Amino acid sequence: MHDYLEQSFSVKFEYRVHFTSGLFDTTNTLLEDFFKERQIEGMQQKILFVLDEGVAQSHPGLVDKINAYFDHFKTVKLAENIVLVPGGEKVKNHSYYNEFLINTVNDFGIDRHSYLAAIGGGSVLDMAGLSAAVAHRGVKHIRIPTTVLSQNDSGVGVKNGVNFKNKKNFMGTFAPPVAVFNDDQFLTTLTDRDWRSGMSEAVKVALIKDAEFFNWLELHAFDLSKRDLPTMNYLIKRCAELHLQHIRSGDPFETGSARPLDFGHWSAHKLEQLTNFEVMHGEAVAMGIALDSVYSGLKGDISADEVRRIINLLINLGFDITHPMMEVHEENSPLLLGLDEFREHLGGRLTITLLTAIGKGKEVNEMDWHLVKKASEQLKALNLEKA
Amino acid sequence: MHDYLEQSFSVKFEYRVHFTSGLFDTTNTLLEDFFKERQIEGMQQKILFVLDEGVAQSHPGLVDKINAYFDHFKTVKLAENIVLVPGGEKVKNHSYYNEFLINTVNDFGIDRHSYLAAIGGGSVLDMAGLSAAVAHRGVKHIRIPTTVLSQNDSGVGVKNGVNFKNKKNFMGTFAPPVAVFNDDQFLTTLTDRDWRSGMSEAVKVALIKDAEFFNWLELHAFDLSKRDLPTMNYLIKRCAELHLQHIRSGDPFETGSARPLDFGHWSAHKLEQLTNFEVMHGEAVAMGIALDSVYSGLKGDISADEVRRIINLLINLGFDITHPMMEVHEENSPLLLGLDEFREHLGGRLTITLLTAIGKGKEVNEMDWHLVKKASEQLKALNLEKA
Ligand SMILES: NC(=O)c1ccc[n+]([C@@H]2O[C@H](COP(=O)([O-])OP(=O)(O)OC[C@H]3O[C@@H](n4cnc5c(N)ncnc54)[C@H](O)[C@@H]3O)[C@@H](O)[C@H]2O)c1
Ligand SMILES: NC(=O)c1ccc[n+]([C@@H]2O[C@H](COP(=O)([O-])OP(=O)(O)OC[C@H]3O[C@@H](n4cnc5c(N)ncnc54)[C@H](O)[C@@H]3O)[C@@H](O)[C@H]2O)c1
Ligand SMILES: [Zn+2]
Ligand SMILES: [Zn+2]
């Protein structure tokens, strides 16, 4: 008796990524309109906010503003408290914050028809997204990203996560939000490093998917480095759009092994770790892009001129293109361990994205360490030249 | 500038629920065939087993058998250890077990292409399912249910969960398994209470969806109560099939408010709690079915004859049809609080399933407590008659 029943169904996920300025001004009805549209008869929906302390410090009036907003518009009821959590990786390193948030969802009676909204950088969004995904098997999650990186990449996608025993994002789920609200006013208070580092993901996605966007980046590198907000808004929107397209046209919940969006990331992840996260993710990605671009050039997949354009763009945006820890001298140089770790991360089979043109990626299953060494030496030389 | 990007995609979920006997006999290639079909070139997939201690005790040779199976068939590599966890609700009450399992997934290097298989009752499956869903944002999860309830209901569906601060299933996700293997040999060692209590969900699903199955249950009540295994196999298969159909044709991840499969459950949940879980879930559901069926009769939605058939079936299967804590004397009798809690559970709007015929449910948004009182009195009288 070997009998079976077959189960098969599809689940549809839909959400919008909104772009606005001054989300909590009572003259701005975007959020209220969103709630009105999703009101459920006979139910008082609630909303609980979790807020990145770094954002709260840079925007001292924000808590009052949120309170005033929900005093003014009453479709959704604001939970008694706005929950503050530390910004940055710390909030993903300690399970305390996740448990605390789930506790708060319980205390304030946030149910599956109510909202958990997170305001902050990618770290706070990643942590809060996991809490929202598991409390009650999922409450409605709204993301309000406040950094360049989270507005153009991490905050618009479908993943959340926290770290576990030093393993980055070891725990998490695939859980699309019900909406994302990108408010450019948050960007004005970013440090220069945070402003800049989020742009490397835009360079990355342009390189593997959109030559025209790359040209645009070259043309606007100066304005971007000078913190021109309208220019940054365009970068964020186009980058977010490319990410959204990638998710929906590919394998949204990543059941396969390919990770084209991880272009430049095998060495970046390793560099972050080797420098004890002194080098930020976006900064490391810029160097990883530089390395894999020069490597692509050495393999003859892209021209010397293309390599030069990529390196120049990174420099013009204000990025360093290499770091002492990015140097490869021998087969067991620390950086090269990043290849093994990346293989392990993918589940046993190495898949690395390289370039065949500006705007076009390709997948390979191995890297020649001699060429990696050569690429790292060339970058070191270029870097000295630049200085 | 109120601009937005629209995201929309569907994710397909597919899995089979297999029925077999002696899954780990090396003469049975079902599991090995499954692994073979899903083998990924260039990867050594692994499998980690988590095993219900109650099952291990009743099946002393099981651990050796699993080891021998993976010694014989080598497509997938068995993790160094088989992890034992307590059976029953305890494993869902302490976050320790969930963390321990996630730790073990980490220690044994189970990645997204490897398997976490759980063998046990619904409690162990619910806990392990959550660990599998969040480790690495989801490793491949195999369920091997060992009780009637888990083989016909909880183990074939898409939910997992653990308790949090006494709130049942407060944390969990919707996460379909990659496969379910129902092995009838496990059922032989169940206590009579566990054997019986899993059948109430079959009565429930027959009542709201399948009159013919109800007739079959009436005809086979004696064999079922006498623990005839082939008859139980049919019950499980039909009940599982109805659950699978319900999931795929409805709202698999329960974004709406209706819960037709919760027929009889508002009072059952409350009774479990009022008796400190002395009354088992399935036993409580049988009483809840009795209550809401008599109620449906009092409302004139089903005939007195239909009510009688339902009560008789429950009695013939060996269920108690009421309990002192199911009695309702006044508007604030403890049982009636179950209505408020059920409303809260649904997110603010009460939706109760009642019957309009054997095999057909309907939804109502309120219950008349006078009629609930009357129904509970009638059941008490019937119960005395029976004794
Ligand atoms: N989920 C995904 O798909 C995904 C993708 C990429 C990256 N990530 C994750 O995102 C995280 C990094 O996020 P990030 O780069 O946004 O940085 P971050 O969240 O770590 O924040 C950096 C610092 O900026 C502060 N900050 C945030 N917004 C501010 C503002 N508007 N003004 C002033 N200070 C502000 C924070 O308090 C923090 O101190 C990493 O943990 C990374 O793993 C996730
Ligand atoms: N996820 C869902 O969709 C869903 C649906 C319904 C119920 N559930 C959950 O299922 C749980 C109840 O599961 P259950 O009824 O299977 O009981 P259980 O898992 O609580 O197990 C009851 C006892 O039986 C033992 N046992 C299990 N299999 C055995 C076997 N073959 N032989 C001997 N002993 C065995 C266990 O060790 C335990 O002591 C509850 O926590 C409930 O919330 C989940
Ligand atoms: Zn990145
Ligand atoms: Zn039930």
Side-chain angles (χ1 to χ4, degrees):
Chain A
M1 174 200 86
H2 280 344
D3 211 357
Y4 65 85
L5 298 169
E6 184 96 46
Q7 178 67 306
S8 168
F9 58 85
S10 289
V11 178
K12 189 162 189 181
F13 297 96
E14 285 182 297
Y15 59 94
R16 285 180 180 176
V17 178
H18 299 272
F19 298 88
T20 190
S21 203
L23 181 66
F24 296 108
D25 294 342
T26 48
T27 51
N28 186 339
T29 62
L30 181 62
L31 192 58
E32 169 66 6
D33 292 344
F34 170 84
F35 292 134
K36 272 247 173 69
E37 225 170 87
R38 302 178 152 242
Q39 210 170 356
I40 304 170
E41 211 211 292
M43 285 191 194
Q44 175 59 67
Q45 289 166 289
K46 296 186 211 169
I47 188 165
L48 170 66
F49 278 90
V50 48
L51 173 56
D52 186 318
E53 270 167 24
V55 177
Q57 264 157 36
S58 305
H59 299 262
L62 183 59
V63 168
D64 287 347
K65 232 173 164 169
I66 295 172
N67 278 305
Y69 191 90
F70 288 89
D71 267 353
H72 186 79
F73 297 115
K74 296 180 194 291
T75 305
V76 164
K77 192 163 171 274
L78 187 62
E80 290 81 337
N81 283 93
I82 288 173
V83 177
L84 285 166
V85 295
E89 208 64 27
K90 184 181 170 190
V91 81
K92 291 176 66 174
N93 277 330
H94 303 285
S95 62
Y96 167 80
Y97 297 107
N98 196 29
E99 278 157 32
F100 171 69
L101 207 52
I102 288 172
N103 230 327
T104 313
V105 165
N106 182 20
D107 290 347
F108 290 151
I110 302 299
D111 58 42
R112 284 175 57 78
H113 302 293
S114 288
Y115 299 93
L116 175 64
I119 306 176
S123 303
V124 168
L125 300 184
D126 272 4
M127 185 279 294
L130 178 58
S131 308
V134 300
H136 287 297
R137 297 203 183 99
V139 300
K140 295 184 192 300
H141 182 44
I142 290 176
R143 299 204 198 111
I144 303 171
T146 59
T147 62
V148 173
L149 177 78
S150 55
Q151 289 197 359
N152 73 14
D153 177 345
S154 83
V156 305
V158 296
K159 295 192 266 188
N160 57 53
V162 299
N163 309 330
F164 181 78
K165 294 203 168 184
N166 275 322
K167 294 227 174 176
K168 197 144 152 98
N169 297 324
F170 187 82
M171 283 178 67
T173 66
F174 291 90
V178 294
V180 180
F181 295 92
N182 276 344
D183 180 344
D184 69 358
Q185 290 310 301
F186 286 117
L187 306 178
T188 59
T189 56
L190 290 173
T191 63
D192 284 342
R193 279 184 82 185
D194 274 308
W195 172 279
R196 184 187 309 115
S197 70
M199 295 192 291
S200 59
E201 305 283 359
V203 176
K204 173 200 74 180
V205 79
L207 279 172
I208 56 175
K209 288 183 183 282
D210 186 352
E212 219 173 286
F213 184 36
F214 187 86
N215 298 342
W216 181 93
L217 286 165
E218 283 181 313
L219 279 175
H220 295 86
F222 181 77
D223 291 344
L224 289 166
S225 76
K226 289 287 164 284
R227 299 191 64 145
D228 183 61
L229 197 55
T231 312
M232 181 57 100
N233 277 334
Y234 180 81
L235 176 146
I236 286 172
K237 193 168 169 204
R238 182 64 190 144
C239 184
E241 195 166 21
L242 288 165
H243 273 98
L244 292 173
Q245 274 170 14
H246 175 79
I247 291 167
R248 73 171 158 265
S249 64
D251 173 18
F253 289 0
E254 298 180 3
T255 53
S257 274
R259 296 281 179 284
L261 289 185
D262 277 349
F263 173 59
H265 275 57
W266 71 267
S267 57
H269 286 313
K270 191 65 196 172
L271 180 65
E272 285 179 84
Q273 188 200 318
L274 288 172
T275 61
N276 238 317
F277 298 90
E278 237 315 296
V279 175
M280 296 172 67
H281 180 69
E283 295 167 342
V285 169
M287 299 182 215
I289 289 171
L291 187 69
D292 287 353
S293 299
V294 175
Y295 183 97
S296 297
L298 289 172
K299 285 210 28 166
D301 289 343
I302 57 173
S303 69
D305 183 55
E306 286 175 307
V307 175
R308 205 162 328 138
R309 284 175 64 196
I310 298 169
I311 303 297
N312 282 343
L313 173 58
L314 293 170
I315 292 173
N316 291 341
L317 289 172
F319 285 109
D320 286 336
I321 53 169
T322 190
H323 184 279
M325 285 298 194
M326 288 288 278
E327 289 173 28
V328 170
H329 301 292
E330 43 179 22
E331 192 165 358
N332 49 15
S333 285
L335 190 78
L336 291 174
L337 289 178
L339 283 172
D340 292 320
E341 287 165 16
F342 198 66
R343 174 188 294 118
E344 206 191 293
H345 166 73
L346 296 178
R349 187 164 184 215
L350 188 66
T351 308
I352 296 271
T353 301
L354 294 175
L355 301 178
T356 56
I358 283 176
K360 208 160 161 28
K362 80 156 178 192
E363 278 164 22
V364 300
N365 295 108
E366 51 187 350
M367 296 282 279
D368 175 346
W369 81 268
H370 295 97
L371 282 191
V372 177
K373 176 169 182 279
K374 213 163 162 187
S376 89
E377 288 164 355
Q378 291 196 1
L379 283 170
K380 189 176 172 184
L382 278 170
N383 198 41
L384 291 173
E385 228 172 76
K386 184 191 104 179
Chain B
M1 171 200 85
H2 280 342
D3 211 356
Y4 66 85
L5 298 170
E6 184 96 46
Q7 179 67 305
S8 168
F9 59 85
S10 289
V11 178
K12 189 162 188 182
F13 297 95
E14 285 182 298
Y15 60 95
R16 285 180 180 177
V17 178
H18 299 272
F19 298 87
T20 190
S21 204
L23 182 65
F24 295 108
D25 294 341
T26 48
T27 52
N28 186 339
T29 62
L30 182 62
L31 192 58
E32 169 66 5
D33 292 344
F34 170 83
F35 292 134
K36 272 247 174 71
E37 224 170 88
R38 303 177 153 242
Q39 209 170 357
I40 304 170
E41 210 211 291
M43 285 191 194
Q44 176 58 67
Q45 290 165 289
K46 296 185 210 170
I47 189 165
L48 170 66
F49 277 90
V50 47
L51 172 56
D52 186 318
E53 269 166 23
V55 177
Q57 264 156 36
S58 305
H59 299 263
L62 184 59
V63 168
D64 288 346
K65 229 171 167 175
I66 295 173
N67 279 306
Y69 191 90
F70 288 90
D71 266 354
H72 186 79
F73 297 115
K74 295 179 193 294
T75 305
V76 164
K77 191 164 172 273
L78 188 62
E80 290 80 337
N81 282 93
I82 288 174
V83 177
L84 285 166
V85 294
E89 208 64 27
K90 183 182 171 191
V91 81
K92 291 175 66 174
N93 277 331
H94 303 284
S95 62
Y96 167 80
Y97 296 107
N98 197 30
E99 277 157 33
F100 171 69
L101 207 51
I102 289 171
N103 230 327
T104 313
V105 166
N106 182 21
D107 290 347
F108 289 151
I110 301 299
D111 59 43
R112 285 174 57 76
H113 302 293
S114 288
Y115 299 92
L116 175 64
I119 306 176
S123 303
V124 168
L125 299 184
D126 272 4
M127 184 281 293
L130 178 58
S131 308
V134 301
H136 287 296
R137 297 200 183 101
V139 299
K140 295 186 193 298
H141 182 44
I142 291 176
R143 299 203 199 112
I144 302 171
T146 58
T147 62
V148 173
L149 177 79
S150 56
Q151 290 198 357
N152 73 13
D153 176 345
S154 83
V156 304
V158 297
K159 297 192 266 188
N160 58 52
V162 299
N163 309 329
F164 182 77
K165 294 202 169 185
N166 274 323
K167 294 226 174 178
K168 191 135 159 107
N169 296 325
F170 187 81
M171 283 177 67
T173 67
F174 290 89
V178 293
V180 180
F181 295 91
N182 277 344
D183 180 344
D184 69 358
Q185 290 310 302
F186 286 117
L187 306 178
T188 60
T189 56
L190 291 173
T191 63
D192 284 343
R193 279 184 82 185
D194 274 310
W195 172 279
R196 184 187 308 114
S197 71
M199 295 192 289
S200 59
E201 306 282 359
V203 175
K204 173 200 76 181
V205 79
L207 279 172
I208 56 175
K209 290 186 183 280
D210 186 351
E212 219 174 288
F213 185 36
F214 186 87
N215 298 342
W216 181 92
L217 287 165
E218 282 181 313
L219 279 174
H220 295 86
F222 181 77
D223 291 344
L224 290 166
S225 75
K226 288 288 163 281
R227 299 189 65 146
D228 182 62
L229 197 55
T231 312
M232 181 57 99
N233 277 335
Y234 179 81
L235 176 147
I236 287 173
K237 193 168 169 205
R238 182 65 190 143
C239 184
E241 194 166 22
L242 289 165
H243 274 100
L244 291 173
Q245 274 170 13
H246 175 80
I247 291 167
R248 72 171 160 265
S249 63
D251 173 18
F253 289 1
E254 298 180 3
T255 54
S257 275
R259 294 284 181 284
L261 289 185
D262 277 350
F263 173 60
H265 275 58
W266 71 268
S267 57
H269 286 313
K270 191 65 195 172
L271 180 65
E272 285 179 83
Q273 187 199 318
L274 288 172
T275 61
N276 238 318
F277 297 90
E278 237 317 295
V279 175
M280 295 172 67
H281 180 70
E283 294 167 342
V285 169
M287 299 183 216
I289 289 171
L291 186 69
D292 287 353
S293 298
V294 175
Y295 183 97
S296 296
L298 290 172
K299 286 209 30 168
D301 288 343
I302 57 174
S303 68
D305 183 55
E306 287 176 306
V307 175
R308 206 161 330 139
R309 285 176 62 196
I310 298 169
I311 303 298
N312 282 343
L313 172 59
L314 293 170
I315 292 173
N316 291 341
L317 290 171
F319 285 109
D320 285 335
I321 53 170
T322 190
H323 183 280
M325 284 298 193
M326 288 288 277
E327 289 173 26
V328 171
H329 301 292
E330 43 179 23
E331 193 165 357
N332 49 15
S333 284
L335 190 78
L336 291 174
L337 290 178
L339 284 171
D340 292 321
E341 287 165 17
F342 198 67
R343 173 188 294 118
E344 208 191 288
H345 166 72
L346 296 178
R349 188 165 184 216
L350 189 65
T351 309
I352 296 272
T353 301
L354 294 176
L355 300 178
T356 58
I358 283 177
K360 208 162 161 25
K362 79 157 178 192
E363 279 165 22
V364 300
N365 295 109
E366 51 187 351
M367 296 281 280
D368 176 346
W369 80 267
H370 294 97
L371 282 191
V372 178
K373 177 170 182 279
K374 214 162 160 186
S376 89
E377 287 164 356
Q378 290 196 2
L379 282 170
K380 190 178 171 184
L382 277 170
N383 198 41
L384 291 174
E385 229 172 77
K386 186 190 104 182

